[in-house]
Amino acid sequence: MYKNPIITLLSDFGLVDSYVAEMKAVILSINPSATLIDISHNIEPYNIRMGAYILARIVEYFPEKTIHLAVVDPGVGGPRKPIIVETLKALFVGPDNGLLMLAAEKLGVSHVYQIENRRYMLKEISKTFHGRDIFAPAAAYLSLGVPPKNFGKEVFDYVKPSYIKPKIFKNKIVGEIIHLDNFGNIITNITQKHLKTKNITYGKSFQIILGENKPLKVRFLESYFQALKGEIFALVGSGNFVEISENLGNAAKTLNVKTGTKITFIF
Amino acid sequence: MYKNPIITLLSDFGLVDSYVAEMKAVILSINPSATLIDISHNIEPYNIRMGAYILARIVEYFPEKTIHLAVVDPGVGGPRKPIIVETLKALFVGPDNGLLMLAAEKLGVSHVYQIENRRYMLKEISKTFHGRDIFAPAAAYLSLGVPPKNFGKEVFDYVKPSYIKPKIFKNKIVGEIIHLDNFGNIITNITQKHLKTKNITYGKSFQIILGENKPLKVRFLESYFQALKGEIFALVGSGNFVEISENLGNAAKTLNVKTGTKITFIF
Amino acid sequence: MYKNPIITLLSDFGLVDSYVAEMKAVILSINPSATLIDISHNIEPYNIRMGAYILARIVEYFPEKTIHLAVVDPGVGGPRKPIIVETLKALFVGPDNGLLMLAAEKLGVSHVYQIENRRYMLKEISKTFHGRDIFAPAAAYLSLGVPPKNFGKEVFDYVKPSYIKPKIFKNKIVGEIIHLDNFGNIITNITQKHLKTKNITYGKSFQIILGENKPLKVRFLESYFQALKGEIFALVGSGNFVEISENLGNAAKTLNVKTGTKITFIF
């Protein structure tokens, strides 16, 4: 049905084991013409929020009708439902634990269906690896044009993502660190819109308090290039969140912080 | 000859260097329509048994006529033969050191051929990288339909995998750890069949002795979900081996064990 | 225009974040039939020389008309130009900081063009991620057959790679370590040609001084196989540079050296 169906894969399976390849093998056995693109398989084990953040970053860049297969699934084998999420632009396949919904809500959720039709699963279903036995075949059959509603009944009480919004006060914003990237950029849940409400424009400075660190004055800059070598500063990252960065360094290491740490901006 | 030939790649080359990409470049230069799927390139350097275990897990999930290219090759440049293994379902290409045979025996070995025909190698052959110069071209020519027998003479004295079977006693089974996965699951060489002979069914408990740890009573459960948070328990993993797991934790770290460690189940 | 266009990707983005997938999504949105091959995304952050070395290794193995997209870009958002490098065999896309030129010079540089035509960029261009917003679309449009000169004006003062040549003395050669690979092989910038000028042929020995280590006598061998287990020796690696290796061990760990360390060969 699709001429060049793209199936993306995201998981916490890592790149040592064969788990990712087993999912790809299942997909290609059902639809040999699928194009498989890895998003990341280095999500921290069981870290649904990290998976949700990474998945939400990428969906706008993929072509229409892309199928996103995502598996961070600590509840595998338990009562959590396997689901398909239909949006106008893309389809999502994975566990009903919030992982898919941050991304899906960005695109606008049309329908959510439970995957229960055994016809679209592997014959033997393990209790520990639904990525291979249920989710991969579902993604492959979707890429062949099987309509989402054929997989099972519609679900209305799906799990919403536990996404924390920053708290806005008169002279400060209290947010948290949602991700530390490969360059040590500290990505917060605070956006440029939040800074605008506090009249922070490029070139201005404000104070940040990060975990146990003492308050630090940072400039708000437009690019890494504008910072001095080794300077710690704030900028808007490519995912539209405010990041704390160290020019040509690793801010996360220098400031010794972790995902989930509280961050306060004081104006 | 094949319409959508799949070539899988497994190695101990890691994902920092360009070695994997050099093999892929060689394959695509010979057969631009090959579909390349990575199994794992993070096999421990020189660890043939780990490579053999990972390769054996995946073969049943790939479509017929898949070509598996695997290179964990501490003997490169020495007398070990480069070989092609023909099975009913798939072809294997790699060094004759046991790496391919655990997987190939699962599918049923038909013939083993030595790769000696220079026509199907790169013009210049290094002494240190047969993955690029001999194995990758062989896989590519196989995917074009060149019959395995055209590569060289049949080999009958190929290296068998050094796979250790568990020892069964009246009240215990002595096995060993064959792999620690990304979640810290401790994968043993003991299977569900072994447990059945000792009347261990889901819900029952038994004792394990793992390396230097004191004996530990574990429940045999059907899924991660049935365990309490932090409980260490036994289950049958998706590769059909008995695994020792920690629910939402990392059993390998908690119990501080390594691949190759002896494990005893006491009933 | 190309039937099976290959686009390779090299970066310092790592394999945890979604940055690589965002570039691939942009490419496939513009040219769904591109074949995407990862070279390495584990270049050390900001390490242009390491990226240049890895890229230069692989170009000869890819088919003609391959497009190499490489992004190690500490100057993103600053005045450094985005460029396309045209050679007879391949095209390169990336920042004008030397990253592309070691590889491009191997193939023979025809023309270098600045990427400035907004038509071939994403609509919104971040200040921090030109890999996604400028370089990926450029590679995709090149793969559709857009001529390099359509992207912008020719550049003549492009940045040359800062590649260090070894110094040759009467009884010694002073070089440096350019890379440590996955097996701990210590790759130097000294080639077999240099050794020939000193009458070093296989089987002969010479002394090396590596960083703070005391002088070490090593044999010059043709393959790993010829060395004794644990022997530290010299050989010509698959990239044609002299490497210091430890048979079935990790020479880089044993000798505790880093990239950039001076190495002296004494004859």
Side-chain angles (χ1 to χ4, degrees):
Chain A
M1 189 151 157
Y2 298 175
K3 210 189 140 211
N4 279 298
I6 297 173
I7 298 175
T8 78
L9 298 99
L10 175 143
S11 76
D12 58 353
F13 295 158
L15 293 172
V16 175
D17 295 295
S18 58
Y19 303 141
V20 173
E22 291 173 46
M23 291 200 297
K24 291 180 179 176
V26 167
I27 293 169
L28 292 174
S29 296
I30 295 167
N31 187 356
S33 70
T35 296
L36 304 175
I37 301 291
D38 295 307
I39 305 303
S40 173
H41 298 290
N42 291 318
I43 304 301
E44 281 174 29
Y46 322 123
N47 192 334
I48 294 167
R49 282 181 69 189
M50 178 179 169
Y53 163 73
I54 298 279
L55 188 63
R57 267 193 71 109
I58 55 105
V59 288
E60 65 186 292
Y61 296 101
F62 276 96
E64 295 215 353
K65 301 198 170 177
T66 295
I67 295 159
H68 300 288
L69 165 57
V71 190
V72 178
D73 194 12
V76 63
R80 71 93 192 88
K81 300 181 190 86
I83 54 170
I84 293 167
V85 182
E86 196 177 358
T87 70
L88 273 183
K89 190 181 176 194
L91 294 167
F92 295 84
V93 180
D96 178 26
N97 60 17
L99 175 67
L100 311 176
M101 302 313 297
L102 193 64
E105 286 182 350
K106 260 179 115 174
L107 303 182
V109 176
S110 316
H111 301 281
V112 178
Y113 297 97
Q114 187 167 348
I115 304 170
E116 43 190 1
N117 190 338
R118 287 295 297 245
R119 192 173 159 179
Y120 302 123
M121 300 178 188
L122 289 199
K123 264 177 213 157
E124 283 185 51
I125 297 168
S126 72
K127 291 281 187 184
T128 58
F129 193 6
H130 289 182
R132 177 190 69 198
D133 304 339
I134 295 178
F135 299 126
Y141 283 110
L142 286 171
S143 78
L144 288 173
V146 175
K149 66 180 171 49
N150 289 22
F151 287 78
K153 63 173 165 298
E154 190 158 0
V155 176
F156 298 96
D157 60 341
Y158 54 83
V159 175
K160 304 269 182 177
S162 67
Y163 187 69
I164 308 296
K165 284 186 185 164
K167 286 174 193 147
I168 318 291
F169 298 94
K170 198 176 169 197
N171 290 312
K172 64 180 183 180
I173 299 176
V174 179
E176 70 169 58
I177 299 175
I178 51 175
H179 186 58
L180 306 173
D181 81 1
N182 192 51
F183 300 92
N185 293 313
I186 298 166
I187 300 167
T188 73
N189 61 347
I190 300 169
T191 67
Q192 189 164 16
K193 277 185 199 166
H194 291 121
L195 290 189
K196 270 188 188 153
T197 65
K198 302 299 182 196
N199 288 314
I200 299 296
T201 51
Y202 292 127
K204 290 196 177 173
S205 296
F206 57 93
Q207 282 204 314
I208 61 170
I209 301 176
L210 238 172
E212 302 298 307
N213 292 283
K214 56 185 180 186
L216 185 72
K217 194 174 178 179
V218 296
R219 294 197 289 162
F220 180 49
L221 300 177
E222 206 175 349
S223 73
Y224 303 120
F225 175 77
Q226 294 168 339
L228 305 173
K229 192 174 168 178
E231 179 179 357
I232 290 181
F233 64 102
L235 91 168
V236 177
S238 56
N240 291 320
F241 291 107
V242 177
E243 303 181 3
I244 306 300
S245 298
E246 178 179 337
N247 192 26
L248 297 177
N250 186 307
K253 277 190 189 155
T254 301
L255 298 174
N256 191 26
V257 292
K258 286 187 199 167
T259 301
T261 301
K262 193 172 84 166
I263 183 166
T264 307
F265 289 10
I266 303 171
F267 309 101
Chain B
M1 189 153 156
Y2 298 175
K3 212 190 138 208
N4 279 298
I6 295 173
I7 298 175
T8 78
L9 299 99
L10 175 142
S11 76
D12 58 354
F13 296 158
L15 293 172
V16 174
D17 295 295
S18 58
Y19 303 141
V20 174
E22 291 173 46
M23 292 201 297
K24 291 180 179 177
V26 167
I27 293 170
L28 292 175
S29 296
I30 294 166
N31 186 356
S33 71
T35 296
L36 304 174
I37 301 291
D38 295 307
I39 305 303
S40 174
H41 298 290
N42 290 319
I43 303 301
E44 280 175 30
Y46 322 123
N47 192 335
I48 294 167
R49 282 181 71 191
M50 179 179 168
Y53 164 73
I54 298 279
L55 188 63
R57 266 193 73 108
I58 56 103
V59 288
E60 66 185 291
Y61 297 102
F62 277 95
E64 295 215 353
K65 302 198 169 177
T66 294
I67 296 159
H68 300 288
L69 166 57
V71 190
V72 179
D73 194 13
V76 62
R80 71 93 192 88
K81 302 180 190 85
I83 54 170
I84 292 167
V85 183
E86 197 177 358
T87 70
L88 273 182
K89 191 181 176 193
L91 295 167
F92 295 84
V93 180
D96 178 26
N97 60 16
L99 175 67
L100 311 175
M101 301 313 296
L102 193 64
E105 286 182 348
K106 261 180 113 173
L107 303 183
V109 175
S110 317
H111 302 282
V112 178
Y113 298 97
Q114 187 167 348
I115 304 171
E116 43 190 2
N117 190 338
R118 287 294 298 245
R119 191 172 159 180
Y120 303 123
M121 300 179 188
L122 288 199
K123 265 177 211 158
E124 283 186 51
I125 297 168
S126 72
K127 291 279 186 186
T128 57
F129 193 6
H130 288 183
R132 177 190 68 196
D133 303 339
I134 295 178
F135 300 127
Y141 283 109
L142 286 171
S143 77
L144 287 172
V146 175
K149 66 180 171 50
N150 290 20
F151 288 77
K153 63 173 167 299
E154 190 158 359
V155 177
F156 298 95
D157 60 341
Y158 54 82
V159 176
K160 305 270 182 176
S162 67
Y163 186 70
I164 309 296
K165 284 185 186 164
K167 286 173 194 147
I168 318 292
F169 298 93
K170 197 176 168 196
N171 289 312
K172 63 180 182 179
I173 299 175
V174 178
E176 69 170 58
I177 299 176
I178 52 175
H179 185 59
L180 305 174
D181 82 0
N182 192 52
F183 300 92
N185 293 314
I186 297 167
I187 300 168
T188 73
N189 61 347
I190 300 168
T191 66
Q192 189 164 16
K193 278 185 200 166
H194 292 121
L195 291 189
K196 269 187 190 156
T197 65
K198 301 300 182 195
N199 288 314
I200 299 296
T201 51
Y202 293 128
K204 289 195 178 173
S205 297
F206 57 93
Q207 281 204 315
I208 61 171
I209 301 175
L210 239 173
E212 303 297 309
N213 291 284
K214 55 184 180 187
L216 184 72
K217 195 174 177 180
V218 297
R219 293 196 290 162
F220 180 49
L221 301 178
E222 205 176 350
S223 73
Y224 304 119
F225 175 76
Q226 294 169 339
L228 305 173
K229 191 173 169 180
E231 179 180 357
I232 291 182
F233 65 102
L235 90 170
V236 178
S238 55
N240 289 321
F241 292 107
V242 177
E243 305 181 1
I244 306 301
S245 298
E246 178 179 337
N247 192 28
L248 297 178
N250 186 308
K253 277 191 189 154
T254 301
L255 297 173
N256 191 28
V257 292
K258 287 187 199 169
T259 300
T261 301
K262 193 172 84 165
I263 182 166
T264 307
F265 289 10
I266 303 170
F267 309 101
Chain C
M1 190 154 159
Y2 298 175
K3 210 191 139 209
N4 280 299
I6 296 173
I7 299 175
T8 78
L9 298 100
L10 174 143
S11 76
D12 59 352
F13 296 157
L15 292 172
V16 175
D17 295 295
S18 58
Y19 303 142
V20 173
E22 291 173 45
M23 291 200 298
K24 292 180 179 177
V26 167
I27 292 170
L28 292 174
S29 295
I30 295 167
N31 186 356
S33 71
T35 296
L36 304 175
I37 300 291
D38 296 307
I39 306 302
S40 174
H41 298 290
N42 291 318
I43 305 300
E44 281 174 28
Y46 322 124
N47 191 336
I48 294 167
R49 282 182 69 191
M50 178 178 168
Y53 163 74
I54 298 279
L55 188 63
R57 266 193 73 108
I58 56 105
V59 287
E60 64 186 294
Y61 297 101
F62 276 95
E64 295 214 355
K65 303 198 169 177
T66 294
I67 296 159
H68 299 288
L69 166 58
V71 190
V72 178
D73 194 12
V76 61
R80 72 93 191 89
K81 300 181 190 85
I83 55 171
I84 293 167
V85 183
E86 196 176 358
T87 70
L88 273 182
K89 191 181 177 195
L91 294 168
F92 295 85
V93 180
D96 178 26
N97 60 17
L99 175 67
L100 311 176
M101 301 313 297
L102 193 64
E105 287 182 349
K106 261 180 115 173
L107 303 182
V109 175
S110 316
H111 302 280
V112 178
Y113 299 97
Q114 187 167 348
I115 305 171
E116 42 189 2
N117 190 338
R118 286 295 299 244
R119 191 170 158 182
Y120 302 122
M121 300 178 187
L122 289 200
K123 264 177 213 158
E124 282 186 52
I125 297 169
S126 72
K127 291 280 186 185
T128 58
F129 193 5
H130 288 183
R132 178 190 68 198
D133 303 338
I134 295 178
F135 299 127
Y141 283 110
L142 286 171
S143 77
L144 287 173
V146 175
K149 65 179 170 52
N150 289 23
F151 287 78
K153 62 173 166 299
E154 191 158 358
V155 177
F156 298 96
D157 61 340
Y158 54 83
V159 176
K160 303 270 183 177
S162 67
Y163 186 69
I164 308 296
K165 284 186 185 163
K167 286 173 194 148
I168 318 291
F169 299 94
K170 197 177 169 197
N171 290 312
K172 63 179 182 179
I173 299 175
V174 179
E176 68 169 59
I177 299 176
I178 51 175
H179 186 58
L180 306 173
D181 82 359
N182 193 52
F183 300 92
N185 293 314
I186 297 167
I187 301 167
T188 74
N189 60 347
I190 299 168
T191 66
Q192 189 164 15
K193 278 185 199 166
H194 292 121
L195 290 189
K196 271 187 188 155
T197 66
K198 302 300 182 196
N199 288 312
I200 298 295
T201 51
Y202 294 125
K204 290 197 177 172
S205 294
F206 57 94
Q207 281 204 314
I208 61 170
I209 301 176
L210 239 173
E212 302 298 308
N213 292 283
K214 55 184 180 185
L216 186 72
K217 196 174 177 180
V218 297
R219 294 196 290 160
F220 179 49
L221 301 177
E222 205 176 348
S223 73
Y224 303 119
F225 175 75
Q226 294 169 339
L228 306 173
K229 190 173 169 180
E231 179 180 356
I232 290 182
F233 65 103
L235 91 169
V236 178
S238 55
N240 290 320
F241 292 107
V242 177
E243 305 182 3
I244 307 301
S245 298
E246 178 179 338
N247 192 26
L248 298 178
N250 186 307
K253 277 189 189 156
T254 301
L255 298 173
N256 191 25
V257 292
K258 287 187 198 168
T259 301
T261 300
K262 194 171 83 165
I263 182 166
T264 306
F265 288 11
I266 301 171
F267 309 103

